[in-house]
Amino acid sequence: MSQCTTYTHCTICVACCGLKVTSEDNTVIKIEPDKEAVNWRDFCVRAAESHRSLQHPSRITQPMKRVGDEYVPVPYKQAVKEIAQQLGDIVQRHGPHALGSYTGNPATSNFGAFSFFSLFLDAIGTDNRYFVGSLDQNSHHYVCEEMYELPWAFLQPDVENTDCLLLVGANPAVSELGWVFSVSEGWKKAQAMRARGGTVYVVDPRRTESAAKADCHISPLPETDWALLLAILHVIASNAWHDPAVAEYCENFDELIAMLKAQDVEALSARCEVPVATIEEVARTFSKGSGICLAQTGVGQTSTGSVSLWLSHLLNLITGNMRGKGGLYHNKGGLDMVKTGGEFFPKVHRTSRVNQASSVGGFLPFAEAVTEMLTPGEGQIRAFIIHGGNPVITGPEGEKLNAAMADLDLLIAVDSFQRESHRHADWLIPAPSYLELDEVSILLQEIANAPSLQMLRSAVKKPDGVPYEWEFFRDLTLAMNKPLLLGKPALNWLVKGYSLIAKITGNPYDGFSPKQVAKQMYKTGGQVSYKQIENSPHGYNLDPTIDYEYLTDNLPTESGKVRTLPVDLYARLNALLASPSVRPDKAEYPLQLISRRRKHMMNSWLTEGSMQQMKRPESDIIEVNQEDAARWQLQDGEWVSVSSRVGAVQAQLLVSDKIRPGVAVMSHGWGNNTYNPNKKGDVTPSGGVNRNLLVANDDRDPLTGVPKLNGTSIKIEALQRDVA
Ligand code: SF4
């Protein structure tokens, strides 16, 4: 058999590393970095091992229909027809909002899947849309909309040229330096910056791998990053260390500085338990030269995430680091989202039916989904589509969600794997791997900071029974007789006409596909053509020149300036300042639970890949400080009960000096007990426990709806010890 080499890129995280994939007989045998691509140096084990998931026993390789306790294979066309009938009936009887949807990580990193799912949901007209962002990065989108009118802004840190990096809730030594941005070799660049005299601060309740290599590790209490950042801002404003020229492109600048000066640094220091001297040192260093404050996942997953993110932006802003070398800048990429974002992603505001929770970027907080499924009335969710991801594991109170989904009239899962969240699925629709796609993953490419755009190329042919996700949503829309484009039923004929072309050429992408959408988007973006990307196997290189002033010169806000004091964020800050400085439930739940990164793991959606590499997922380990262990007479290695006001799990104790007192850490993303149709009801455990069962649906950031996945109040107790 001859070997075949394919150049593509990884879609597991936003680094988008270029890959060289070797296959033989339609089987991937090796994945290496593509060293001819601009972006490959972050290449990691998650990509190197990702082909193993192609043969994973939980992989869905054909449409499956639930019949009793079993799944039976159904031909694709028949599946589309039956689902269209069932879903059509529900929408006909109960209205469009009776359909709810969840878009998970795998679906957001696959542009074709994401965009055609959106077209489908628009065609149905449902407001019940949920997105993994409300379990992770909503605070970024929310703050960017409030300050810059750009919810989909991807602001890149100029790490190569900065003098100071303040990392809050990030561990780039284990993952990579990226979140809703990406810096190729970011951690290496940060270390190089230190070597030339710069400073790296890592803010984290745990002495992470990054903290161990930083100049200074600052360890605040979880949920108090806002107090720390406000205190730093106060010191800068009080000493006039900010850049007065910033006022030119800011609304309410004087009012902002006055507000910052008025803060009580001692009180803020007491809240976050970071000494005033440390706060002053950070403020001095950060404002001396260029600096970048990056508040990331660890902060975004708290109930104070939106305010913390806002304050981190203010820190960059008032020190002149939103418009200069060594700060944050907008990378035009292929679409120039500052100019075209509003066109590609028009502003839509949705409100949840029961609790009137607001949407972010058009998606409602996922923590609302259970209530919307269980509360009777017009608009109650009766059918649900889980598109990629594993919300029962990723989200709060998964057992409640699981139970609510059991009562739905129709549950459809579109995914590469069968997951815990599919336990009650009536239909399993298979989805391809990124190693089987031939398209441009537009959004991911925009977030990746390399000035290069690359196409995904299929290294292997997808199994015959697996449709592209975009095909499924297109075909389902047409089968339901809903208008796929612009709300105009007549355009369905155009789409059908395109399908004939695809039939003739034998290439489904020649039909109405993500290719047509991408072509149009790049044309509007005006930076590159689809053809240029298509003709560049290792990526099309864009002009690497950074325009540091582009963002602040082109803001789409009404005034054309940055909104420094958005009303709701300011009100939320004042509410936090007025709240008790010691959390009220501390006596009952003395610890706060946080999460951590593992090299092999990328949230719950990579469980299938990670399981094959990790002897033990380590999610059933709870790490606590030795002082806390001694206080409750607990010993290293013993099993304990971990409980919160909404749930309980068991875990093995790891006594450590890496975590500060009052805080505990458990990895998230584990605990699948996936219903296995082949074993008629038996489950296939993925190992570990689901620590998110401890997180409450109603304990969340009021502005973004993100639940308190970090900072959850818990207690630990010894399990019954064996008596000798
Ligand atoms: S997971 Fe991220 S860092 Fe690792 S190879 Fe893929 S894109 Fe690169």
Side-chain angles (χ1 to χ4, degrees), residues 13 41 109 199-200 227 316 469 473 485 574 588 672 687 694 723:
C13 86
R41 290 183 174 81
S109 58
T199 311
V200 174
N316 293 318
E469 287 137 289
F473 290 118
L485 294 172
N574 284 326
E588 191 177 356
N672 285 276
L694 302 165
V723 180

Side-chain angles (χ1 to χ4, degrees), residues 414-578:
V414 182
D415 209 318
S416 301
F417 305 99
Q418 203 188 6
R419 305 182 195 266
E420 175 67 12
S421 301
H422 306 164
R423 178 175 294 268
H424 305 291
D426 297 289
W427 288 92
L428 301 174
I429 302 298
S433 152
Y434 78 98
L435 293 165
E436 297 163 340
L437 295 178
D438 289 280
E439 52 194 82
V440 186
S441 190
I442 296 184
L443 283 180
L444 216 52
Q445 292 278 291
E446 287 303 295
I447 299 174
N449 191 25
S452 177
L453 300 169
Q454 191 179 1
M455 260 193 89
L456 288 167
R457 296 282 185 190
S458 54
V460 285
K461 211 171 135 299
K462 62 184 173 58
D464 286 342
V466 178
Y468 295 110
E469 287 137 289
W470 56 265
E471 262 183 315
F472 172 68
F473 290 118
R474 180 196 65 189
D475 295 347
L476 185 59
T477 313
L478 297 180
M480 289 178 73
N481 254 329
K482 297 287 178 188
L484 186 67
L485 294 172
L486 308 169
K488 294 184 177 164
L491 291 179
N492 280 6
W493 289 107
L494 187 70
V495 175
K496 286 175 185 168
Y498 261 113
S499 299
L500 288 178
I501 300 173
K503 250 188 198 158
I504 293 165
T505 64
N507 180 356
Y509 285 101
D510 289 337
F512 182 71
S513 75
K515 183 176 169 180
Q516 326 304 332
V517 179
K519 269 185 177 175
Q520 194 51 46
M521 286 178 80
Y522 282 125
K523 199 170 170 190
T524 308
Q527 311 297 312
V528 63
S529 71
Y530 186 88
K531 196 110 207 113
Q532 285 170 310
I533 302 172
E534 199 174 36
N535 290 341
S536 310
H538 306 285
Y540 179 81
N541 297 338
L542 297 160
D543 178 1
T545 314
I546 298 172
D547 182 348
Y548 294 102
E549 295 170 1
Y550 191 78
L551 175 72
T552 45
D553 281 348
N554 291 283
L555 285 169
T557 54
E558 257 176 47
S559 64
K561 296 181 176 185
V562 179
R563 293 190 286 247
T564 62
L565 290 171
V567 175
D568 291 340
L569 281 163
Y570 195 9
R572 171 78 174 134
L573 174 63
N574 284 326
L576 288 172
L577 285 165

Side-chain angles (χ1 to χ4, degrees), residues 10-17 19 42-48 176:
C10 178
T11 64
I12 293 170
C13 86
V14 291
C16 289
C17 296
L19 304 179
D42 289 305
F43 178 80
C44 75
V45 66
R46 287 171 294 189
E176 46 92 48

Side-chain angles (χ1 to χ4, degrees), residues 139-150:
S139 46
H140 165 83
H141 301 302
Y142 179 80
V143 167
C144 286
E145 176 159 4
E146 291 294 301
M147 293 181 76
Y148 317 114
E149 195 64 31
L150 292 167

Side-chain angles (χ1 to χ4, degrees), residues 206 593-596 598 616-624 636-640 642 649-656 664-668 670 688-689 691 716:
R206 185 173 182 273
L593 183 67
I594 61 168
S595 195
R596 62 172 293 190
R598 303 273 184 188
R616 181 179 178 183
E618 297 179 349
S619 70
D620 51 4
I621 291 175
I622 184 163
E623 186 178 347
V624 299
D636 189 47
E638 83 171 291
W639 284 82
V640 293
V642 185
V649 297
Q650 292 184 2
Q652 194 174 19
L653 200 70
L654 172 67
V655 179
S656 150
V665 63
M666 285 179 85
S667 301
H668 111 127
W670 298 97
V689 296
R691 48 84 85 199
I716 54 175

Side-chain angles (χ1 to χ4, degrees), residues 41-229:
R41 290 183 174 81
D42 289 305
F43 178 80
C44 75
V45 66
R46 287 171 294 189
E49 299 287 332
S50 61
H51 56 298
R52 297 186 191 282
S53 63
L54 295 171
Q55 275 85 39
H56 194 278
S58 293
R59 183 153 192 213
I60 309 165
T61 54
Q62 54 192 329
M64 307 277 271
K65 178 183 178 179
R66 180 83 162 252
V67 179
D69 270 348
E70 288 185 62
Y71 282 105
V72 294
V74 174
Y76 173 70
K77 280 190 178 165
Q78 188 188 330
V80 170
K81 196 174 160 192
E82 285 190 34
I83 293 171
Q85 183 91 52
Q86 292 167 7
L87 193 52
D89 281 353
I90 291 169
V91 171
Q92 173 84 27
R93 275 187 286 127
H94 304 291
H97 308 307
L99 171 66
S101 67
Y102 173 79
T103 306
N105 257 326
T108 50
S109 58
N110 174 342
F111 178 74
F114 179 80
S115 56
F116 276 63
F117 192 36
S118 300
L119 290 175
F120 165 74
L121 295 172
D122 287 347
I124 299 289
T126 178
D127 277 346
N128 270 315
R129 305 176 193 204
Y130 306 91
F131 160 55
V132 66
S134 61
L135 302 174
D136 185 346
Q137 84 267 14
N138 257 12
S139 46
H140 165 83
H141 301 302
Y142 179 80
V143 167
C144 286
E145 176 159 4
E146 291 294 301
M147 293 181 76
Y148 317 114
E149 195 64 31
L150 292 167
W152 303 100
F154 307 127
L155 303 177
Q156 307 292 348
D158 186 19
V159 179
E160 260 164 321
N161 293 303
T162 200
D163 301 315
C164 180
L165 205 50
L166 175 59
L167 297 172
V168 193
N171 189 6
V174 166
S175 47
E176 46 92 48
L177 190 56
W179 189 36
V180 198
F181 65 88
S182 175
V183 185
S184 177
E185 291 190 288
W187 187 235
K188 207 169 159 190
K189 285 175 183 164
Q191 294 303 320
M193 182 265 282
R194 286 185 67 210
R196 61 170 197 270
T199 311
V200 174
Y201 294 101
V202 170
V203 179
D204 202 301
R206 185 173 182 273
R207 194 170 72 249
T208 59
E209 295 78 354
S210 303
K213 290 193 173 165
D215 294 280
C216 177
H217 171 214
I218 300 166
S219 179
L221 279 174
E223 292 256 296
T224 64
D225 309 291
W226 66 271
L228 172 65
L229 291 165

